[in-house]
Every structure is written in C-alpha cells, then in structure tokens.
Amino acid sequence: MNSSAPSDATRLSRRPSRLRLFACMMYEAVLLFGVVFFTDYIFDTLTQSRSGLMLLGPRQAVLFVAIGLYFVLCWRKHGQTLPMKTWNIRLVDRQGGKPTWGQLVLRYLLCWPIPLAGAYLVYVVSASLGWPSVTMFIVVTPFLNFVYSWFDRNGLMLHDRLAGTRLVDLSPAAIQ
C-alpha cells in the first residue's frame, strides 16, 4: 500500500471552493440551455404550440421535471453531472457514500425556493420602481444558494444541509 495515497476519508472530507462551485454552476447553465431547448422543442412539437407563452403552466412543469431528471439521474449514476466531473466535484451523502433516490430528489426540490424567492423580489422591485431593466438581475438569483454556506459551520448550502448531502473536492491538488 502506498503511504502517500490519501485515505478515502481524507479524500472525501474536502469541500470545493466557492469559486469552483461558481464556475461549475456557470458550465451547468450552458448545458441546461441544451436540456431546456430540447425539452421545449419536443413540448412545442407535441402540443403544436406556436409561442413560448402558450400553455405556460404545463410548459414550466415539463421543464421543471426535465431539469430534475437530468440532475437526479446524473447524480445517482456517477454522483456528478458533466460540469461536476470537469471541476472534480462529487455529490455524496453525509458518510461519503452514494446518496439515496430520496436524498437526490429532496436536494433538487430544496435548491429552488431561495432562488425563486430572489427572483420574485427582483420582479417586485422592478414593478414598484417602474424600471423593467431591473429584471435583468434575475440572472444572479441562483447564486443566492451560496449565502447560507457562508454561515454554515461546514460550508454547506442549505439544500445540502437539509437533504443530508454534501459536495466533495476530488481534484488532485485537494487530495494531496
């Protein structure tokens, strides 16, 4: 046995930096564009919609499920999406094992309330000021999930804390 090789406990105890998580989220947004575009194309084809505003409620529900399937299936199979693999980040449970289906679905559902509340706040501010351009700030609302991590003793995001999951750093620099 190589004494310089890190143990699994050491390897799975490091968390990725917020900068790497941010970069991973940006890469994830690029891939999600494809998932959303493809899903929306299929939806429009099947429903013969001619506008993105037609059947808005069902469209949003289908997109929510499609994005959820993308994340949950990737997390379950490898513990990673492609951006997470690129940035050497893996999702594990509290003990460092493979999260259960329930934990994965719960994590996905719990990652939405804070950004949605932020998006609603942006909408209210924009409407009350009468400045439609303020709505451009809606693009930063997904990053509101980071705020809780600054106060958490282990640097976890709220949805990870509640779902019993955590992100670990698998980069070679972190392992040594």
Side-chain angles (χ1 to χ4, degrees):
M1 179 184 237
N2 185 354
S3 62
S4 66
S7 69
D8 280 346
T10 302
R11 188 171 60 85
L12 294 175
S13 66
R14 298 185 188 256
R15 63 180 169 82
S17 69
R18 286 184 186 88
L19 183 59
R20 285 188 45 235
L21 290 174
F22 175 79
C24 185
M25 285 177 71
M26 296 305 293
Y27 186 4
E28 203 72 72
V30 172
L31 292 185
L32 281 176
F33 177 80
V35 170
V36 167
F37 182 85
F38 179 75
T39 303
D40 208 35
Y41 174 76
I42 297 299
F43 181 85
D44 283 340
T45 301
L46 294 175
T47 62
Q48 294 298 300
S49 300
R50 303 261 189 266
S51 165
L53 297 176
M54 289 179 67
L55 303 168
L56 189 58
R59 179 185 309 274
Q60 289 175 335
V62 166
L63 291 174
F64 182 78
V65 170
I67 293 169
L69 285 172
Y70 163 76
F71 279 115
V72 170
L73 293 175
C74 286
W75 291 334
R76 182 63 183 173
K77 186 169 184 176
H78 304 289
Q80 300 169 301
T81 59
L82 179 60
M84 291 169 74
K85 190 175 220 175
T86 301
W87 286 97
N88 295 306
I89 298 169
R90 177 169 289 145
L91 180 67
V92 297
D93 65 9
R94 283 190 180 115
Q95 292 75 34
K98 194 175 197 177
T100 65
W101 285 102
Q103 286 176 304
L104 297 175
V105 170
L106 184 62
R107 183 181 198 267
Y108 175 70
L109 294 174
L110 290 174
C111 78
W112 284 96
I114 293 173
L116 287 177
Y120 181 71
L121 180 63
V122 168
Y123 170 76
V124 167
V125 168
S126 173
S128 67
L129 293 175
W131 298 342
S133 60
V134 171
T135 58
M136 73 178 181
F137 289 107
I138 206 163
V139 299
V140 301
T141 61
F143 303 104
L144 293 175
N145 276 325
F146 282 109
V147 173
Y148 177 84
S149 72
W150 293 324
F151 303 103
D152 186 88
R153 67 181 179 277
N154 297 327
L156 297 176
M157 291 186 230
L158 183 59
H159 54 273
D160 281 320
R161 171 71 58 200
L162 296 174
T165 58
R166 60 191 172 94
L167 297 170
V168 294
D169 188 348
L170 300 177
S171 66
I175 294 173
Q176 295 176 3

